[in-house]
């Protein structure tokens, strides 16, 4: 035990970095387990769209949306969702809703907002359209 204490005292920066990484890992696991939405893969997105009437909600900017989006995706800006303007999805509260952004980070907050708005089955595409492109799945270019 004395060796551990001596190691930590001699390598304070390394020890603090290790503790920081450990705490971040625990917080990440906790947040994932208590989230009100699910993170799903691109193949799960296609399953929900094709078999369970899933609706893809793309929250990227208008220009990003025009550059390429998932087929039949509904484009709604995050500011509109936060304001309660849910045009295009308000009738689908019982259907699977898949929130998509570029990397998956911005979609977390919006997925939580949608759950609070009464949507029963909200998911987000893990790693966003980056994962979709990595899976070599098609994107529609231009306006919807």
């Amino acid at each position: 035990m004395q060796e551990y204490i001596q190691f930590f005292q001699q390598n304070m920066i390394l020890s603090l970095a290790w503790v920081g990484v450990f705490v971040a890992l625990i917080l990440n696991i906790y947040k994932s387990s208590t989230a009100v939405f699910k993170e799903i893969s691109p193949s799960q997105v296609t399953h929900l769209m094709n078999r369970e009437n899933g609706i893809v909600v793309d929250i990227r900017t208008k220009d990003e949306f025009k550059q390429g989006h998932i087929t039949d995706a509904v484009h709604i800006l995050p500011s509109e969702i936060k304001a309660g303007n849910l045009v295009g999805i308000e009738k689908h509260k019982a259907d699977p809703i898949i929130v998509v952004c570029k990397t998956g980070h911005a979609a977390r907050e919006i997925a939580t907002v949608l759950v609070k708005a009464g949507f029963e089955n909200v998911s987000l595409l893990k790693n966003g359209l980056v994962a979709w492109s990595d899976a070599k799945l098609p994107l529609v270019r231009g306006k919807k």
Side-chain angles (χ1 to χ4, degrees):
M1 184 66 168
Q2 187 65 25
E3 296 89 19
Y4 293 123
I5 294 172
Q6 185 179 8
F7 176 82
F8 287 126
Q9 289 173 343
Q10 292 175 351
N11 300 290
M12 188 64 75
I13 294 174
L14 179 64
S15 300
L16 289 175
W18 185 85
V19 168
V21 168
F22 182 73
V23 168
L25 177 66
I26 296 299
L27 287 174
N28 191 15
I29 292 170
Y30 175 75
K31 282 176 104 176
S32 295
S33 66
T34 60
V36 293
F37 53 84
K38 297 177 282 191
E39 289 188 59
I40 59 175
S41 68
S43 62
Q44 291 170 309
V45 171
T46 58
H47 174 80
L48 287 175
M49 289 174 65
N50 294 333
R51 300 236 165 83
E52 298 183 33
N53 197 29
I55 307 295
V56 174
V57 176
D58 194 319
I59 62 167
R60 297 173 302 141
T61 65
K62 188 181 284 189
D63 289 336
E64 289 174 326
F65 185 77
K66 286 180 184 177
Q67 289 175 2
H69 58 273
I70 297 173
T71 303
D72 296 329
V74 177
H75 182 245
I76 306 175
L77 294 174
S79 58
E80 293 175 359
I81 292 173
K82 290 176 186 175
N85 185 7
L86 304 172
V87 175
I89 62 170
E90 66 274 344
K91 296 177 185 173
H92 299 281
K93 290 202 175 203
D95 294 332
I97 302 291
I98 305 108
V99 183
V100 176
C101 66
K102 184 174 182 179
T103 61
H105 298 293
R108 292 178 182 280
E109 180 183 1
I110 299 305
T112 303
V113 170
L114 289 173
V115 168
K116 288 179 181 176
F119 289 86
E120 300 170 11
N121 187 0
V122 178
S123 303
L124 65 90
L125 176 57
K126 186 175 185 175
N127 298 324
L129 279 185
V130 171
W132 186 267
S133 296
D134 288 347
K136 308 236 185 301
L137 293 167
L139 293 174
V140 177
R141 309 257 184 236
K143 272 203 157 200
K144 187 177 166 191

